[in-house]
Amino acid sequence: MNRLPDSLPRWTLLFVILFTGAYFLLTHEGLYGVDDYYYARHAYQLLHGTFELGPDPQELLHDPLHERWLIFGPVAGFFALFGVNIISATLWPLLATLGCAGLIYVLYARREPVVAAAAMLLLGLHYFTLNLANYLYPDNILMFWCLAGAAALLRGREPGRRAGWWGLGFALLGFAALLSKETIAYYLPFYLGVLGLDAVRRRHGRFWVVALSTGALLLAAYGVFYYVVTDDGLYRIHLIEQTNKFLSEGNYLVGNRAVLLDRITWQPLSFFVGIGLGLMLTLAAAALGHPSAPHGPEGADSEGPDRWFWLALAGSTLAFYWLGSTSLSSYNPITLLPRMTTPLLPPLALAAGFGLQRLVARAGGRALAAGVVLLLLTAWLRTAVAVVYLLPGLALLAVGLSRWLPRWPAALRPGRPALAAGVVAVLGLALAVRPAYFMRKPPVSAHASQVRVLQRLAGPAVRGTVLVDDFLFPNYDFSYGFEVPKGLSFRRYFARDSIRISPAQPAWLLLNRATLANDELTRKLIRYSPDSVLSWYPNRRLVAQDGLVELYEVRR
């Protein structure tokens, strides 16, 4: 693979950046739920100096969103630069997503070009990585800090590095992750294991002295801050426990006790396969063991230390996700949601990159076995997600058989650059199919149209009541940049009999047909159709329409 052109990682990075940007623009659906709205509101408050440092005085809020400063803090800066809108609100998760691809490129573009190209595709084109880049959620931001911190731990302990500075960077990146989301704890067992191993071997002392000293100072200052603001130095931990208690009705100890055994045995594997992570797991498994033949110069396993680092981190993080708990006081496994897997993705993608490099370099039985496993996953899944397994499975099956096929092109023999580039291309194609499908679909929220229609009811002279659906009602002020005209009030559709309508106090009905046809919402939140809503207001007049969004003036 030494002759593999440097252009493969470069073109892969460019493709990931362009594809991610296109997905971001073509599939953006606006606000998704409570979390991204509150993060955006905290950013606005921080920008305008109205953000409250202390907890909710009435203790009505039970979630830790208020304490994730590095989620909404940078967003406040984007609001200052570009105003309050859905694009400026989600630039930060987009940049964090692209930053992960950039970090992988910096780490391995020259050292291991096949690993770099494969890992950038596996991580950057994973459907839920792309999907989470569209929303102001902490997961992809945390993923960036996780990857950066792990890379600092890996590179900072190499010979010839300025270990003290790398130790400082490692501590700062870990603290940044803590200020983004508490699930940086997924990496703690691995970090402690590396520390213990280095202590036993009496290696990298300067790195660890600086890292641990800096970390201790940061955590002490953090505790003092909370003690001053809340009279509780461990407020962040207690808040997490309070959150677990508040949500206990749906957890595995109270609401779902009957399925607890399933959750910690076979369900995670089924879940991983169902969201497309079976590809990374299969390729990462191919990276296990020692090379069957010399890999690097002079017969050395030149990629061994890095390969084992990412394999160990992926393995420990996978075990934490599979068997770990969301609570310190009781055992409650982590919910099987795609966005909860983001700390696992960077090390798993890199381990899978090393596995793919081994498969295209050696072919034979290992590549054949990987191809068969992926085809079996395709047969088991039998959904649209199976394309992620089908195309790479066929490619690896061919690679595995190539050693025994006499007419196989010489340029595509194992270890040749053309074979590596071809398999990477197949990988990129397979991963791009599902996101490309959603890029072609029409939007399901009509967010931009809704904002444009609402802006017709703006200005200091506007008066009246706007009747809206249950999805828009909790966050309508975002459409006005959190500055709703003082004379305007918003009510749910069901308040139709409790509002007064007069020439001085008119009423409008906002009907978003996209929202009222959204399957996710109609199953849980929306219990009415556009026709039923219109039947409640027979005396109406259409005053504006933008796509699937309509604005009516309601009369008595």
Side-chain angles (χ1 to χ4, degrees):
M1 295 297 168
N2 291 335
R3 294 179 57 195
L4 191 72
D6 292 339
S7 59
L8 179 63
R10 190 181 310 123
W11 285 109
T12 303
L13 177 64
L14 180 62
F15 173 67
V16 169
I17 291 173
L18 293 177
F19 193 88
T20 303
Y23 184 90
F24 178 83
L25 295 174
L26 295 175
T27 66
H28 212 303
E29 296 287 359
L31 294 176
Y32 180 74
V34 173
D35 289 19
D36 49 357
Y37 168 73
Y38 274 113
Y39 287 128
R41 194 175 72 172
H42 291 334
Y44 175 83
Q45 292 169 341
L46 189 64
L47 178 62
H48 290 83
T50 58
F51 182 76
E52 296 290 340
L53 291 178
D56 174 24
Q58 296 180 337
E59 297 185 355
L60 297 176
L61 299 179
H62 300 273
D63 61 277
L65 309 185
H66 183 272
E67 314 307 323
R68 295 172 178 173
W69 285 74
L70 283 186
I71 303 301
F72 56 83
V75 176
F78 289 123
F79 283 172
L81 291 173
F82 309 116
V84 179
N85 57 71
I86 195 59
I87 300 300
S88 61
T90 49
L91 273 178
W92 178 215
L94 172 65
L95 291 176
T97 305
L98 296 175
C100 290
L103 282 173
I104 293 173
Y105 180 84
V106 171
L107 281 170
Y108 290 110
R110 293 187 177 181
R111 294 188 181 209
E112 307 287 352
V114 176
V115 174
M120 284 189 285
L121 290 173
L122 288 165
L123 181 61
L125 268 61
H126 176 55
Y127 173 72
F128 291 102
T129 297
L130 291 167
N131 182 257
L132 287 167
N134 281 9
Y135 301 105
L136 185 51
Y137 273 59
D139 306 284
N140 283 16
I141 299 168
L142 173 70
M143 185 169 67
F144 174 77
W145 298 126
C146 286
L147 176 57
L153 177 62
L154 175 64
R155 291 288 176 258
R157 295 162 50 255
E158 290 180 338
R161 300 282 186 180
R162 302 180 68 179
W165 288 105
W166 282 93
L168 175 65
F170 172 67
L172 291 174
L173 290 166
F175 189 66
L178 180 63
L179 294 181
S180 298
K181 194 176 181 182
E182 301 76 13
T183 45
I184 182 59
Y186 287 18
Y187 281 24
L188 187 59
F190 177 77
Y191 288 165
L192 292 176
V194 174
L195 171 60
L197 190 61
D198 283 350
V200 169
R201 295 176 175 178
R202 296 184 178 182
R203 299 169 59 187
H204 311 301
R206 184 175 181 80
F207 175 92
W208 284 112
V209 166
V210 174
L212 293 175
S213 300
T214 304
L217 288 174
L218 290 171
L219 290 177
Y222 199 46
V224 170
F225 166 79
Y226 275 117
Y227 183 79
V228 171
V229 173
T230 69
D231 293 326
D232 181 5
L234 300 177
Y235 172 77
R236 186 89 180 268
I237 296 175
H238 295 154
L239 180 62
I240 296 170
E241 292 300 320
Q242 184 181 3
T243 304
N244 279 294
K245 182 178 179 181
F246 179 71
L247 300 175
S248 61
E249 184 177 345
N251 70 19
Y252 287 94
L253 294 181
V254 180
N256 293 323
R257 182 184 292 271
V259 297
L260 178 59
L261 182 61
D262 295 342
R263 165 60 186 85
I264 60 176
T265 53
W266 63 269
Q267 277 187 354
L269 179 59
S270 177
F271 165 71
F272 290 136
V273 173
I275 65 172
L277 285 186
L279 176 59
M280 288 197 214
L281 290 170
T282 302
L283 294 177
L288 292 169
H290 294 287
S292 57
H295 174 82
E298 300 177 2
D301 182 11
S302 60
E303 40 92 74
D306 284 23
R307 176 168 55 88
W308 283 112
F309 179 91
W310 297 115
L311 275 168
L313 178 54
S316 65
T317 308
L318 178 64
F320 194 103
Y321 184 79
W322 202 305
L323 301 171
S325 173
T326 64
S327 173
L328 296 175
S329 59
S330 60
Y331 181 65
N332 181 46
I334 300 160
T335 308
L336 294 177
L337 289 174
R339 69 186 187 91
M340 299 300 291
T341 65
T342 46
L344 170 64
L345 298 183
L348 186 61
L350 283 161
F354 280 105
L356 184 69
Q357 176 173 261
R358 173 175 292 190
L359 295 178
V360 296
R362 300 300 174 197
R366 192 181 289 256
L368 191 63
V372 170
V373 168
L374 292 176
L375 292 179
L376 289 175
L377 293 180
T378 304
W380 177 32
L381 201 57
R382 290 182 295 177
T383 67
V385 180
V387 69
V388 172
Y389 304 125
L390 177 61
L391 297 179
L394 291 173
L396 290 176
L397 196 66
V399 169
L401 294 171
S402 64
R403 181 174 292 180
W404 299 284
L405 296 176
R407 297 184 178 228
W408 188 262
L412 296 179
R413 290 291 180 185
R416 297 295 180 88
L419 177 64
V423 173
V424 167
V426 171
L427 186 66
L429 175 62
L431 291 166
V433 169
R434 190 182 182 200
Y437 167 76
F438 284 98
M439 288 162 66
R440 291 172 55 87
K441 290 186 66 175
V444 298
S445 70
H447 173 82
S449 298
Q450 184 170 267
V451 170
R452 287 192 295 266
V453 170
L454 283 172
Q455 288 298 320
R456 294 175 65 95
L457 300 176
V462 173
R463 296 287 186 275
T465 303
V466 185
L467 295 151
V468 299
D469 58 70
D470 290 81
F471 182 69
L472 176 60
F473 182 75
N475 56 56
Y476 62 83
D477 55 344
F478 180 82
S479 299
Y480 291 95
F482 298 104
E483 296 179 3
V484 181
K486 293 182 179 179
L488 208 58
S489 62
F490 284 74
R491 304 289 297 275
R492 288 184 169 93
Y493 290 150
F494 293 120
R496 59 188 182 275
D497 296 327
S498 63
I499 62 172
R500 294 182 178 180
I501 302 177
S502 66
Q505 194 71 17
W508 291 274
L509 169 68
L510 182 76
L511 187 72
N512 187 332
R513 292 182 179 271
T515 296
L516 271 57
N518 187 331
D519 291 341
E520 288 189 16
L521 298 178
T522 54
R523 288 196 303 265
K524 300 178 181 179
L525 182 65
I526 304 295
R527 301 295 183 184
Y528 36 78
S529 67
D531 290 339
S532 63
V533 172
L534 292 176
S535 70
W536 300 336
Y537 303 93
N539 194 9
R540 64 185 186 274
R541 179 176 66 90
L542 182 66
V543 295
Q545 183 173 5
D546 189 328
L548 295 174
V549 182
E550 301 161 5
L551 181 67
Y552 295 88
E553 182 182 0
V554 177
R555 301 172 181 174
R556 283 297 185 191

